[in-house]
Amino acid sequence: MASSLPDDIVNVTISSLLNLVGVKPGDYDDRDEATKAIYLSIQLGLLQRQSRQMRAPLDHELAAQHLPAMTQKYIDDPEVIGKVATLINSITYTPYFARFVKTDAGKHFVPIQTKRIAQLTDEDASKLTQDQVAEVGQFYATLLLLQGQDEISEDDRKAAISRLTKWQRASSGTFAEETLERCLAALGGDKGEMGMMIQGAKMMLQAPLKSAEEPIFSS
């Protein structure tokens, strides 16, 4: 596969990331969706190898200026963890995302993601890799921390818990199991050690809001 990679794949920019998830036109428009997913994984992997301090300017600009467009793409994409959800998941640590999910434009992440997990069939769920399940859990746990579950219907909550529990049982000893435990603890109102860890994580995610500049939220 390496020989077929474009030479500029190592040049990770906001434009290349937005192009790969279908938010903006660009050099990868002629590639199929599976290839774009591979390229996105490569580019995000390159970013993850950098220190948080080095990658923060790109992540913060991406969140501050393009979250509305990415969110609309997320709403339109029915996958439980599609390309745009993967990109959004990579910037959930920014104060701009924590603020955005409190606005009218960003308030629907939890009910949408809950419904997608709840409605996932056994056949579709079996097609997800352990890494994808871990990513679903990580993304959903962060959303629950920031938005709570007030907007979730009881039927969706119960169905989501059932799916998450099945995944957890099949993911013993993996990172996926850890992320799924956080989701289940948040949905179940855990008051024990996991609940305390969740509250600590929530405080860490929301702390930067006090000093963050007003986000632009334009695209």
Side-chain angles (χ1 to χ4, degrees):
M1 184 184 71
S3 60
S4 65
L5 292 175
D7 293 337
D8 62 352
I9 192 68
V10 296
N11 183 25
V12 185
T13 66
I14 288 175
S15 293
S16 70
L17 293 171
L18 291 175
N19 179 218
L20 287 170
V21 302
V23 171
K24 289 196 172 185
D27 295 340
Y28 302 116
D29 287 344
D30 61 340
R31 307 302 173 107
D32 59 49
E33 295 305 309
T35 299
K36 289 178 183 177
I38 292 171
Y39 289 178
L40 178 66
S41 178
I42 291 171
Q43 292 213 329
L44 290 179
L46 290 170
L47 286 178
Q48 288 168 1
R49 292 176 188 173
Q50 300 178 5
S51 67
R52 179 68 62 85
Q53 185 177 6
M54 286 185 64
R55 65 174 289 189
L58 184 149
D59 287 345
H60 285 228
E61 182 178 347
L62 185 63
Q65 297 192 24
H66 301 286
L67 265 171
M70 287 191 290
T71 299
Q72 187 57 54
K73 184 70 175 178
Y74 165 79
I75 292 171
D76 295 338
D77 181 359
E79 292 186 68
V80 70
I81 191 70
K83 294 190 301 296
V84 73
T86 294
L87 182 57
I88 292 173
N89 187 38
S90 73
I91 58 173
T92 54
Y93 76 92
T94 66
Y96 301 105
F97 183 79
R99 181 172 294 178
F100 180 72
V101 296
K102 300 297 184 182
T103 68
D104 287 343
K107 67 182 181 181
H108 301 298
F109 275 102
V110 163
I112 289 174
Q113 192 65 18
T114 303
K115 187 171 289 293
R116 288 175 181 173
I117 294 171
Q119 295 182 346
L120 201 63
T121 66
D122 287 339
E123 180 181 359
D124 288 337
S126 68
K127 296 175 183 177
L128 297 177
T129 66
Q130 279 290 311
D131 286 345
Q132 289 175 315
V133 170
E135 189 175 1
V136 171
Q138 185 181 50
F139 185 45
Y140 189 45
T142 302
L143 295 177
L144 286 168
L145 280 176
L146 293 172
Q147 291 191 314
Q149 54 176 308
D150 291 345
E151 301 300 318
I152 303 174
S153 73
E154 184 60 19
D155 286 345
D156 282 348
R157 190 183 76 85
K158 289 180 179 178
I161 288 175
S162 176
R163 171 58 59 199
L164 293 167
T165 300
K166 289 180 181 179
W167 274 336
Q168 183 192 30
R169 290 170 179 166
S171 306
S172 179
T174 67
F175 176 63
E177 182 184 27
E178 294 179 22
T179 67
L180 296 168
E181 283 179 354
R182 292 199 292 269
C183 295
L184 290 167
L187 287 171
D190 193 322
K191 302 300 183 182
E193 182 177 352
M194 180 60 72
M196 293 176 64
M197 291 173 62
I198 288 172
Q199 288 304 312
K202 183 175 182 179
M203 291 175 64
M204 290 177 64
L205 281 169
Q206 293 181 334
L209 290 175
K210 298 178 180 179
S211 57
E213 294 180 356
E214 191 71 24
I216 301 172
F217 295 146
S218 63
S219 56

